[in-house]
Amino acid sequence: MSGLPGARTCPGPGEASDLKSPLGARFREPLTEARFRQLFGDAEQERARPAEPRGSPLRRRCRRWAGGRFGPGAWRLLLARLPPLRWLPRYRWRAWLLGDAVAGVTVGIVHVPQGMAFALLTSVPPVFGLYTSFFPVLIYTLLGTGRHLSTGTFAVLSLMTGSAVERLVPEPLEGNLSGIEREQLDAQRVGAAAAVAFGSGALMLGMFALQLGVLATFLSEPVVKALTSGAALHVLVSQLPSLLGLPLPRQIGCFALFKTLAAVLAALPRSSPAELTVSALSLALLVPVKELNVRFRDRLPAPIPGEIVMVLLASVLCFTSSLDTRYNVQIVGLLPGGFPQPLLPSLAELPRILADSLSMALVTSAVSASLASIYADKYSYTIDSNQELLAHGASNLISSLFSCFPNSATLATTSLLVDAGGNTQLAGLFSCMVVLSVLLWLGPFFYYLPKAVLACINISSMRQMFFQMRELPQLWRISRVDFAVWMVTWVAVVTLSVDLGLAVGVVFSMMTVVCRTQRVQCLALGLAEGTELYRPLRESHKLLRVPGLRILSYATPLYFGTRGHFRRILEWHLGLGEGGKEAPKTDGPPDAVAEPVRVVVLDCSGVTFADAAGAREVVQLASRCRDAGIHLLLAQCNASVLGTLTQAGLLDRVTPDQLFVSVQDAAAHALQRLELTGPKTCTVWV
C-alpha cells in the first residue's frame, strides 16, 4: 500500500523533519501528545495584559490617589466594583444626556403607580412600593453593569413575597381590625417582607463571594418564561377580589389559584358595583394604551404614561364623587412623607424564610442576567455576571434596612427605558428623582386613589408575560425537549405554587440534560475518499473502511451516569465480553462487528470532562483491549480529560505513543501498524 495517494516517506533518524514549518508542507509525520508538547509547549503562554487606556484627567487623578493611598491594586478593584468609574469618564453628555433624562423620567412616572400596585401584591402598604422603587434603583445605578437595565418592583417576586408574608403573618380570622391593630399587622408584614429581602440579598452576596454567577444559567430560558407566565396567571387571579370589591383572605400554598377562584365564585353575589365599575373603566383605558405603546413604539416620541393618567383620573373621580364614603370604595389613604428610619430586619425569621429567600435569589439573578444579556448583545457591550450578583445582592440587602421588599430587574420597565431612549445607568438617577418628589411632596395627591385601580395596573402589567405563550408553537418546532420543560414548569407553577413550580422546573430541566447524555450514540467513522475527513459511516457509502480498524467517536461527558452505556457500546463494537450479545443500535455497516478488530481509535474530542468513575472505565477498557490483542489509540483528549485519565492509571495500561493529538494522526499510526503502508510511510492529510 505504499502507492496510496497522498502517502509520503517519514523522515528517518538522520533526516530533518518539516514539523517546524507545517504551513509550507502538505504532509507530516503522525503527532503523539508527547511529541506535540515537546515541539509546541505544554501550555499557552500567558497573554500580556493590555495597556490600560489613559482616560480623562479626573480618572487619572483618582487612579493616582487610590494607588498612593491603598496600593497598586486598589484602583483595579475600584474599577471592577464601581462601574461608574469606567463609563462616566466616557459619557457622551451632548448625545446621551437628553435620552437618559427622558427615559429616566418616563420610567419614574411608571414606577410610582406600579410600585404602589405591587406593594399590595406583596401584602404591605402602598408607600413601601415607592421605597422599593427608589433605594434599589439608586444602588444598582452605582454597582450594576447593565446599561439598559431597569430595576425595582417585579410582579413575580412581589407574588412570591406576598405568599411568604401571608404565611408568616396571617390575617386574623375574626377580621374587622381596629386602626391600631391594622397598623400593628402592617408593621409585622413589612418586617417579614424586609427579612425576605435581607435573606435573598445575603444569599446573592454569598454567591458573589464564591463567584457563582454561572448558577443563573441553571434556570434555562423555557423555565424562566414558563415561571413568569404561570406567575402572571397567579397575579390575575389574586387581584380578582380587589377588582370586585370582595374582602376575601388571600390563599397561599399549593392549589392557591383554584382556591381563590372558588372563593371568588362563591362570593360573587356580594361584589361591589362601584368598585367593579372603577375596575372596568380602568382596564378599558389601560389595556388599549398598552397596545398603542407596543404597536406604535417607533412612531411615538415617548410611551404614553397610561398608568399615571389613570391614577390621576381615578383620584379626581373618587374625590369629587366621594366614592370612599358613599360606596365604601377602598382607597390608598395617606402616604407618609419622607423616608423610614433604617432598621435591621428581625434575624429570628431567617430560618423560616430561607427557602423563600433562596428561590427569590435564583429568580432575581436569572431574570436580571437574562435581561442584561439581551440588551448587552443588542447594543454591543459586555456585562459581568458576578458583578450583577453584587449589585442585586446589595440592592436587596441595603434596601431591606429601609423596609423594602425583594426587587430585581423588570421586563416592562426595561423595555420602556430602551424605547424612551435610555443609554446608560444614569437614567436610574432621573427615575429616582421622580419617585423622590412623590415621597417628599406629591404623596398627598394619591390619598383618594382607589385600590381597585392598582389591581388593574397589576393585571395590565402582565401583558408581556401572558403573550410569551405565543412562542410555544415555534418552541415545539425547534426543540420538543424545551417545549416539555416549558409545559411541565408552567403546569407546576399554576397548580402548585410559584416556588414549588420553580423547583420542579429546575429539576425536570436538569433531568432532561442527564437523560440526553444517556442516549448519545457511539459513531463509527470512515475516511471520505480523496480527503482527510473522517465522517460517520451512516452518512455515506463512499467512505473508506479498513478491515481490522475501528474508529469510534463517543461525544458525551464520561461520568458515573454514562459509564455503563460507554462500556456496553464499546463491548458491542469491539466484540468484548458479553456486551456483543445485546446488539445495541449502531451506525456502522451490518458486517462491521463480525470483522476481527486489531486496532481501535477512540475519538475523545466530544468528551468534555471525565470523573473518577469514567476514567476507571477507560482504564479497564485499555486492560481488556490489551488482553484481547486489540491495540487501543486515544485521539484528541483535552487537557482536563487527559489529566484525569493519567491520575486514574491509564499510562500503566498504555504507552504515551498511543495518545495522539487528532484522529488523522491516530489513523495514520493505525494504518502503519496494520501494515497497509510501507515500513516508513505515513498517510496523514493536513
Side-chain angles (χ1 to χ4, degrees):
M1 298 294 294
S2 59
L4 285 175
R8 66 157 295 190
T9 301
C10 293
E15 302 177 20
S17 172
D18 57 2
L19 280 172
K20 297 299 182 180
S21 55
L23 295 179
R26 182 174 176 81
F27 309 108
R28 57 169 172 77
E29 63 180 351
L31 277 178
T32 62
E33 288 283 353
R35 179 64 173 158
F36 184 87
R37 287 196 296 269
Q38 179 184 358
L39 292 171
F40 300 103
D42 196 12
E44 295 183 359
Q45 295 181 355
E46 185 179 357
R47 297 179 180 178
R49 184 186 297 273
E52 186 178 342
R54 293 179 60 85
S56 65
L58 176 61
R59 182 174 177 178
R60 291 198 299 269
R61 285 196 296 268
C62 293
R63 182 169 65 247
R64 286 196 299 267
W65 176 84
R69 246 179 126 77
F70 303 105
W75 177 248
R76 288 196 296 270
L77 180 62
L78 286 175
L79 282 180
R81 300 298 165 240
L82 291 177
L85 294 178
R86 297 197 301 269
W87 59 262
L88 197 55
R90 301 187 181 95
Y91 190 83
R92 303 176 186 175
W93 294 95
R94 293 184 179 180
W96 292 349
L97 183 60
L98 180 60
D100 282 340
V102 173
V105 171
T106 303
V107 171
I109 290 174
V110 173
H111 268 317
V112 172
Q114 189 170 281
M116 292 190 291
F118 288 165
L120 296 183
L121 196 60
T122 315
S123 299
V124 297
V127 69
F128 294 94
L130 297 180
Y131 299 151
T132 311
S133 300
F134 177 79
F135 290 104
V137 177
L138 184 62
I139 297 170
Y140 184 82
T141 301
L142 299 176
L143 298 176
T145 59
R147 286 167 42 188
H148 299 85
L149 210 61
S150 174
T151 59
T153 55
F154 182 38
V156 176
L157 290 182
S158 297
L159 182 69
M160 298 172 70
T161 307
S163 299
V165 168
E166 293 282 349
R167 188 186 73 248
L168 296 172
V169 189
E171 184 89 15
L173 296 178
E174 60 272 11
N176 297 324
L177 300 177
S178 64
I180 297 178
E181 291 174 337
R182 172 59 62 182
E183 290 180 1
Q184 293 175 347
L185 180 66
D186 288 340
Q188 293 176 2
R189 290 186 165 183
V190 168
V196 174
F198 185 91
S200 61
L203 287 174
M204 281 187 281
L205 289 179
M207 292 165 62
F208 161 74
L210 298 175
Q211 300 291 290
L212 296 179
V214 70
L215 283 182
T217 59
F218 286 99
L219 289 182
S220 62
E221 183 178 345
V223 171
V224 173
K225 290 189 174 182
L227 173 73
T228 52
S229 296
L233 189 59
H234 275 280
V235 171
L236 172 63
V237 173
S238 68
Q239 297 304 294
L240 289 179
S242 298
L243 292 180
L244 302 174
L246 298 173
L248 299 177
R250 183 168 177 172
Q251 302 291 336
I252 59 174
C254 296
F255 311 108
L257 185 143
F258 305 103
K259 295 177 184 177
T260 303
L261 282 176
V264 168
L265 291 176
L268 196 59
R270 295 186 281 112
S271 60
S272 170
E275 299 214 37
L276 182 59
T277 303
V278 170
S279 302
L281 293 175
S282 300
L283 290 175
L285 175 65
L286 290 172
V287 174
V289 168
K290 289 276 187 182
E291 193 65 27
L292 288 174
N293 285 335
V294 172
R295 291 198 175 188
F296 301 101
R297 66 172 60 185
D298 297 330
R299 302 181 184 179
L300 294 173
I304 303 173
E307 290 89 349
I308 199 66
V309 172
M310 188 66 248
V311 165
L312 295 177
L313 291 178
S315 300
V316 172
L317 177 64
C318 184
F319 173 72
T320 56
S321 304
S322 301
L323 296 179
D324 57 325
T325 56
R326 295 173 60 185
Y327 300 102
N328 198 27
V329 172
Q330 298 295 313
I331 61 175
V332 169
L334 181 63
L335 294 179
F339 297 108
Q341 292 292 331
L343 180 65
L344 183 67
S346 175
L347 300 182
E349 299 289 346
L350 290 181
R352 301 174 59 190
I353 60 172
L354 182 60
D356 302 284
S357 298
L358 178 60
S359 59
M360 292 183 203
L362 292 176
V363 171
T364 299
S365 58
V367 171
S368 301
S370 176
L371 277 177
S373 299
I374 289 173
Y375 288 100
D377 294 340
K378 183 177 181 180
Y379 292 98
S380 303
Y381 62 91
T382 59
I383 61 168
D384 185 347
S385 59
N386 286 305
Q387 179 67 19
E388 287 295 295
L389 280 177
L390 172 64
H392 291 291
S395 296
N396 279 272
L397 190 141
I398 296 176
S399 63
S400 69
L401 305 180
F402 296 92
S403 303
C404 297
F405 50 84
N407 57 87
S408 74
T410 62
L411 177 61
T413 55
T414 297
S415 60
L416 180 64
L417 185 144
V418 174
D419 293 340
N423 298 289
T424 66
Q425 297 94 317
L426 195 63
L429 294 182
F430 292 99
S431 174
C432 290
M433 291 179 186
V434 175
V435 179
L436 180 64
S437 63
V438 174
L439 288 172
L440 296 181
W441 303 294
L442 303 180
F445 289 97
F446 299 96
Y447 183 92
Y448 290 98
L449 175 62
K451 291 185 177 181
V453 175
L454 298 180
C456 295
I457 293 174
N458 278 332
I459 293 175
S460 64
S461 64
M462 299 293 104
R463 176 187 179 280
Q464 289 176 293
M465 297 185 186
F466 281 125
F467 282 178
Q468 289 179 140
M469 301 188 72
R470 297 188 298 185
E471 302 175 7
L472 284 177
Q474 182 184 13
L475 188 62
W476 171 265
R477 293 190 296 269
I478 295 175
S479 172
R480 306 287 176 86
V481 174
D482 285 346
F483 180 87
V485 171
W486 203 104
M487 292 303 302
V488 168
T489 305
W490 188 85
V491 171
V493 169
V494 170
T495 57
L496 301 176
S497 62
V498 177
D499 49 354
L500 289 179
L502 172 63
V504 170
V506 172
V507 171
F508 184 77
S509 179
M510 293 295 101
M511 286 177 58
T512 61
V513 175
V514 173
C515 290
R516 277 184 280 188
T517 63
Q518 304 290 320
R519 302 180 62 182
V520 174
Q521 299 175 358
C522 184
L523 302 177
L525 306 181
L527 178 65
E529 294 185 65
T531 73
E532 76 283 2
L533 302 177
Y534 286 85
R535 307 295 299 174
L537 292 176
R538 63 178 179 180
E539 292 187 3
S540 174
H541 297 290
K542 298 180 179 180
L543 296 175
L544 176 62
R545 297 193 295 269
V546 179
L549 172 64
R550 298 288 281 171
I551 304 176
L552 305 176
S553 176
Y554 191 76
T556 192
L558 192 53
Y559 65 104
F560 65 92
T562 59
R563 60 176 297 186
H565 177 266
F566 176 80
R567 182 194 311 118
R568 288 190 298 271
I569 200 71
L570 266 294
E571 284 177 346
W572 187 87
H573 274 288
L574 303 179
L576 299 174
E578 299 179 357
K581 300 179 181 179
E582 300 179 11
K585 185 177 179 180
T586 179
D587 298 289
D591 58 341
V593 180
E595 301 173 355
V597 180
R598 295 171 55 192
V599 181
V600 57
V601 176
L602 185 58
D603 178 16
C604 300
S605 59
V607 182
T608 55
F609 72 90
D611 66 356
R616 284 194 291 268
E617 196 64 47
V618 176
V619 173
Q620 293 176 10
L621 172 68
S623 298
R624 298 179 66 184
C625 286
R626 185 179 59 186
D627 296 340
I630 299 175
H631 191 60
L632 174 65
L633 306 177
L634 299 181
Q636 213 163 335
C637 295
N638 64 49
S640 173
V641 173
L642 192 58
T644 305
L645 295 178
T646 303
Q647 293 296 326
L650 178 65
L651 294 182
D652 296 335
R653 307 296 194 279
V654 300
T655 65
D657 293 337
Q658 293 174 250
L659 308 176
F660 289 85
V661 297
S662 70
V663 175
Q664 288 86 350
D665 292 276
H669 177 82
L671 293 175
Q672 202 173 17
R673 185 175 183 86
L674 290 171
E675 298 179 352
L676 296 180
T677 63
K680 292 185 178 181
T681 302
C682 303
T683 56
V684 178
W685 294 264
V686 293

